[in-house]
Every structure is written in C-alpha cells, then in structure tokens.
C-alpha cells in the first residue's frame, strides 16, 4: 500500500491510497444495509453497501497497519490477528493485534446530520480495551457517484477514547431511496461519553477554519500568568505563590518553602470576587462577528477540562466558552458535573 503522511486540522491523520484485496466472501446483508431518518424524521434514507462486502482495505501507518471492512467482518484477517475474534476492523503490527470493534455493537448515523443524503456513518464499538477504555472503529462513507467501489481518503485517531476514524467515498453511500411514509427511528443518544463520542457533526463544523475559544473563569480575577493559575498555585510555582500570598493572602501552599503571615485566602475565595461587572455580551458578539469567526451559535457545552491540547484546534471552529476548567468552578449549572465548588 502506498501512503503519504499528512495532517488534517490538529488530529494526526494519514492520507492513503487504498488497496483492494478481493476475497470470495459474502457478509450478512443485514451488516451492509443501513437506514437513517431523513431531515425532519419523515421517511428513511436507505444505503446498501453489500457490493463492498467482498473487499477489505489494508493500509499502513508508520509503525502499524489497519485492515477494515465496510460491512461484515474482515475476510481472512492478517496473521497477527488470527487468534482474535472476527471483527470489521483490526489494528496490527508484525507481532500484535487489537480488535477495534464488533458487529454486534453497531451504531448507524447520517454522516452529516444536516444533510442526510451525504452518506452514512457506521460505528463498530466494543473493541478491545486498554486501561478500561474501549476501542471503536468509525466508518464515515460519503456519497460520491463517481466512485464505483470505495476509495479511502484518510484515517485519523479520534478523541475521546480509542476511536479510529476511517473516511471513505463511494457511490454506494448515495441513498437509493427515501420512503416518506416509512418509520425510521434514529440511533438514540444516551447519557454517556461513549454515546456522544460517536455522534456525527455537520460538515460546516469541520469546514470552518477560524474560531474563538473564550477561557474565562475564576483565574480571570487575579488575571496573573494564565488560566492555569490554580494549577500553578497548588503545584508551588514560585511566581504565582508569591504573587498570591502578597496580593490576596496566605495560600497555605508549601508553607515551609513560602512562609506567609496574615489572613488566609484560598483559590476558592475568588468565587466571591467573580462578579463580571465589565461583561458586555453585545460588545463581545460585535467583536466576534467583525473578526470573521463563523458565529452560528455560542457553543456552551464543551468543557475545557476535557479537551486535550493536541485536539484543541479541532474545536476552535466557532465561539466556544469554557463550561468548567480544571480548577472545578462551573460557569453553568449542571447536575452531571462531578465536582463543582460554586457558592
């Protein structure tokens, strides 16, 4: 397999030319036929990927390889995976192999929730775990009437979890029917990170190249150093501890190293001072609009405490507020938050 390394946004990815490896194999048709609700929920879009059931796609990254099937289990798995359960996707090296997903744990979504005829997303969950985190394979198959088989555009290691995303283009991902009278329930979402991790996003979300990330919280009161004020204070950063002890009161952090006399003042006490007196949402909205950021809506659901810095650019697509930073202060009430010391 010929491959070229590359990047897409901030997610490490691989641009690859696909290799067809046909085998005499036929997957269960149920594994190849997919339905998703049309926009508005009136009727279904049908997809039939069964012509692709005899094909597995093998491609290589720097230190490992993937082999996947768009419907059904991979025919004739590679040697390192022979002892593994049948699976539609494997990660492997010369001496090791991981199952990325299972047919009996399959979810189906439209690849674009706002344009249901663009293709289908198939998620195979229930893969092997590492440190209690399960692996999963996400197959995004976009409609392209010019591709008679399926061409693979890229692979990407997705966050959160050990999810591996594979992007294909195929004429078989163009819906073959839309029955307006047919009842077509959508894949339900559950109150879990696993459920949200596999959700598709509208194409515009990935296409927007500029956005604004608003980091705002208790650390804005001292406004010293960075939003990592609490972390730097608690880990004994000399400049932060000395500033805090001098300006606000004794932090109690490493008293032998940073002796302090006077009243005590903890980081949590900044909550009483966080009044946002100068906050002008109209001014902010005007600045955001004039900046050129694509402000379709204010996204308030992404907590910076769960965003890994390696993937931060992928989320900088519109205007995103922190909901809860790692200091534990919540800007929005939520019964789902495990720790929130707001007054």
């Amino acid at each position: 397999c010929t491959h070229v390394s590359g990047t897409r946004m901030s997610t490490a990815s691989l641009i690859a030319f696909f290799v067809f490896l046909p085998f005499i194999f036929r997957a269960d048709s149920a594994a190849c036929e997919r339905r998703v609700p049309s926009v508005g929920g009136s009727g279904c879009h049908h997809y039939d990927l069964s012509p692709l059931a005899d094909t597995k796609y093998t491609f290589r990254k720097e230190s490992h390889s993937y082999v996947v099937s768009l419907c059904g289990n991979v025919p004739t798995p590679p040697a390192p995976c022979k002892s593994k359960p049948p699976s539609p996707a494997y990660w492997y090296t010369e001496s090791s192999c991981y199952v990325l997903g299972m047919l009996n744990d399959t979810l189906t979504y439209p690849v674009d929730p706002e344009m249901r005829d663009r293709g289908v997303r198939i998620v195979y969950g229930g893969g092997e775990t590492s440190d209690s985190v399960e692996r999963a394979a996400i197959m995004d198959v976009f409609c392209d009437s010019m591709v008679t088989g399926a061409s693979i555009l890229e692979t990407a290691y997705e966050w959160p979890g050990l999810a591996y995303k594979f992007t294909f283009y195929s004429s078989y991902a163009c819906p073959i029917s839309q029955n307006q009278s047919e009842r077509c329930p959508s894949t339900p979402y559950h109150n879990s990170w696993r459920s949200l991790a596999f959700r598709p996003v509208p194409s515009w979300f990935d296409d927007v190249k500029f956005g604004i990330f608003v980091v705002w919280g208790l650390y804005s009161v001292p406004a010293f150093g960075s939003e990592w004020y609490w972390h730097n204070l608690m880990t004994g950063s000399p400049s932060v501890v000395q500033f805090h002890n001098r300006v606000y009161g004794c932090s109690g952090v490493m008293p032998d190293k940073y002796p302090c006399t006077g009243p005590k003042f903890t980081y949590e006490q900044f909550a009483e001072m966080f009044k946002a007196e100068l906050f002008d949402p109209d001014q902010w909205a005007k600045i955001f609009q004039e900046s050129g950021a694509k402000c379709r809506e204010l996204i308030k659901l992404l907590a910076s405490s769960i965003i890994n810095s390696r993937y931060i650019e992928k989320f900088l697509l519109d205007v995103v507020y922190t909901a809860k930073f790692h200091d534990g202060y919540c800007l929005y009430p939520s019964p789902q938050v495990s720790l929130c010391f707001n007054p």
Side-chain angles (χ1 to χ4, degrees):
C1 176
T2 305
H3 69 278
V4 181
S5 297
T7 58
R8 182 175 185 268
M9 300 297 291
S10 65
T11 306
S13 60
L14 170 70
I15 309 301
F17 297 99
F18 66 92
V19 171
F20 284 113
L21 299 176
F23 288 85
I24 301 175
F25 174 85
R26 176 60 62 183
D28 184 347
S29 61
C32 300
E33 296 176 3
R34 303 290 172 179
R35 298 186 306 161
V36 300
S38 58
V39 175
S42 58
C44 295
H45 286 303
H46 288 249
Y47 302 88
D48 184 6
L49 303 179
S50 57
L52 305 176
D54 293 342
T55 306
K56 69 179 181 180
Y57 302 86
T58 302
F59 45 97
R60 188 168 299 161
K61 206 169 178 180
E62 294 178 0
S63 59
H64 58 274
S65 299
Y66 301 97
V67 57
V68 302
S69 172
L70 279 174
C71 63
N73 292 318
V74 171
T76 316
C81 304
K82 293 290 187 182
S83 62
K84 298 289 184 176
S87 170
Y90 296 101
W91 176 106
Y92 68 98
T93 65
E94 291 183 356
S95 58
S96 61
C97 176
Y98 292 109
V99 170
L100 299 187
M102 303 295 288
L103 279 183
N104 62 3
D105 190 351
T106 304
L107 303 172
T108 304
Y109 305 94
V111 77
D112 186 331
E114 293 185 357
M115 301 175 65
R116 301 295 178 95
D117 59 350
R118 290 204 65 198
V120 62
R121 164 171 285 196
I122 305 168
V123 178
Y124 297 109
E128 290 186 74
T129 61
S130 290
D131 297 326
S132 301
V133 179
E134 75 172 53
R135 289 175 170 81
I138 301 173
M139 313 289 189
D140 280 350
V141 194
F142 287 88
C143 168
D144 188 336
S145 60
M146 302 299 292
V147 181
T148 55
S151 62
I152 184 166
L153 172 67
E154 68 174 12
T155 70
Y157 177 80
E158 291 284 299
W159 182 91
L162 296 174
Y164 298 82
K165 179 180 173 183
F166 306 90
T167 302
F168 293 83
Y169 285 83
S170 174
S171 59
Y172 299 114
C174 301
I176 57 178
S177 67
Q178 182 181 354
N179 187 338
Q180 295 291 343
S181 62
E182 183 180 7
R183 180 178 175 82
C184 191
S186 60
T187 299
Y189 288 104
H190 302 287
N191 183 19
S192 67
W193 287 118
R194 181 186 189 273
S195 181
L196 293 178
F198 300 145
R199 74 199 185 286
V201 297
S203 297
W204 61 259
F205 189 86
D206 276 335
D207 292 340
V208 173
K209 298 300 187 291
F210 174 67
I212 297 171
F213 190 80
V214 181
V215 183
W216 194 35
L218 294 194
Y219 36 82
S220 302
V221 175
F224 182 84
S226 71
E227 70 274 18
W228 285 69
Y229 187 97
W230 173 82
H231 174 271
N232 294 334
L233 177 68
M234 301 309 294
T235 55
S237 170
S239 61
V240 176
V241 177
Q242 291 168 6
F243 169 83
H244 187 99
N245 290 351
R246 183 180 72 254
V247 176
Y248 295 103
C250 298
S251 63
V253 174
M254 301 180 185
D256 294 337
K257 184 176 181 180
Y258 304 106
C260 179
T261 59
K264 185 178 181 179
F265 190 95
T266 65
Y267 179 85
E268 288 77 8
Q269 289 177 260
F270 283 129
E272 301 173 2
M273 304 170 64
F274 187 51
K275 304 297 185 182
E277 300 94 334
L278 302 179
F279 176 60
D280 184 343
D282 293 333
Q283 181 193 30
W284 284 33
K286 184 174 184 293
I287 293 173
F288 296 155
Q289 184 177 24
E290 292 177 349
S291 72
K294 303 298 183 181
C295 305
R296 290 174 175 82
E297 61 179 333
L298 296 180
I299 304 175
K300 300 178 180 179
L301 300 179
L302 294 175
S304 61
S305 60
I306 63 169
I307 296 179
N308 187 299
S309 61
R310 289 182 297 167
Y311 304 101
I312 192 76
E313 291 181 13
K314 188 171 179 61
F315 295 91
L316 293 183
L317 301 174
D318 280 295
V319 178
V320 181
Y321 280 114
T322 51
K324 175 178 177 286
F325 205 59
H326 62 246
D327 59 1
Y329 185 86
C330 302
L331 271 71
Y332 306 95
S334 172
Q336 308 303 327
V337 176
S338 59
L339 173 64
C340 194
F341 64 78
N342 295 29

